[in-house]
Amino acid sequence: MSAIPLEALPIDELRQRSSTKWRRYPADVLPLFVAETDFALAPAISRALVRAVERGDTGYTPPEPGIRDAFVGFAQRRYGWSVEPAGVRWTCDVIMGVVELLRVVTKPGDRVIVTPPVYPPFYDTVVEAGAVVEKVPLLHGDAGWPLDLPGIEAALAAGARCVLLCNPHNPTGTVHSQASLAALADLAEAFGAAVISDEIHAPLVQSTVTFTPFLKASAAAARVGYIVTSASKAFNTAGLKCALMVASDPATIGVVQALPAEVEWRTGLFGAMAAVASFSPESDEWLDSLLARLDENARLLADLLAEHVPEAKYEIPDAGFLAWVDLSALGWGVNPAERILHEARVALNAGPDFGEQGSGHVRINFGCSPDVLRDAIERIGVMTRS
């Protein structure tokens, strides 16, 4: 039996939220930019947080908040992946986890490969860790957005020491194949480099797509890799602050275990509670309903663009609620999001923020109601006819 698509909250109720999505712009703007979604929390999360508030449970995160066991169970159920419990630790958020790992696996001045167009904080993260960004863009063609393995090999051969992977990829929604990930692992091992895989969007992979956690891709991947992930994107709990760092090999597990205790102390107590509730079997039905809604919205967006903005180029993503849309044919310049905000009162992410490959592109958050999505694209469509 297929899941019933989750319904978004009414927009009047959403406008009472105090998060970035609903406070950055005036009330006449439809916010489809930052990666927050418009749904009520999974009931298990709400219950955990309400109980905590009622009993004043707002102190420090304990040494064993239950995150490890919850994630191990989730990974087994959802990905068929047997996680080594000793290799799991937690911290404030994914980017902080990436920075801490980069500081261990690179030296100041080392080059770190990123694969644009990619999540904008990746660039600053590498710099924060004292390293240097080496760009090897994704390829693009009939096969979607695969990794440029020859380009990555050349960069590693020239001395790059780490690959900062995004899988599923943000903003394209690409889920890299097991074969591609295994090939990447072989290259990294051959050149003595590490791979850090940001898998925050992994819980949002559609059921028709096979997702392979990087550490599960091959024995070499387990030896060279680290995963940083969180429940925060799928379950909309970014403000609660909790992410996980995962390793599989004895050597990499040793690296994760050797991180300072302060790295775990940064985890929010409510974030830990929410993560345990998110990863529990109790939240699986909610997540399946969310995935059903996102699948419908991704296809609705394709239909809406075809009807109202036929010049747009858009490929339905493998995962997530973010759409990477090429508006170059409209002639709206390098950053069409700026014009769309001004004329249509729709806030989208600016393509150039993701790298030079984002020129003429926008990122659209479709983690909303069909009505909001329809209104947004119709507004943009009016611009094309004016």
Side-chain angles (χ1 to χ4, degrees), residues 161-205:
R161 305 307 303 155
C162 183
V163 180
L164 182 50
L165 181 69
C166 196
N167 182 44
H169 194 87
N170 176 5
T172 66
T174 303
V175 171
H176 297 299
S177 69
Q178 182 273 334
S180 179
L181 297 175
L184 173 63
D186 288 342
L187 290 174
E189 189 166 53
F191 291 100
V195 177
I196 300 173
S197 184
D198 172 354
E199 299 187 0
I200 195 171
H201 293 274
L204 295 170
V205 174

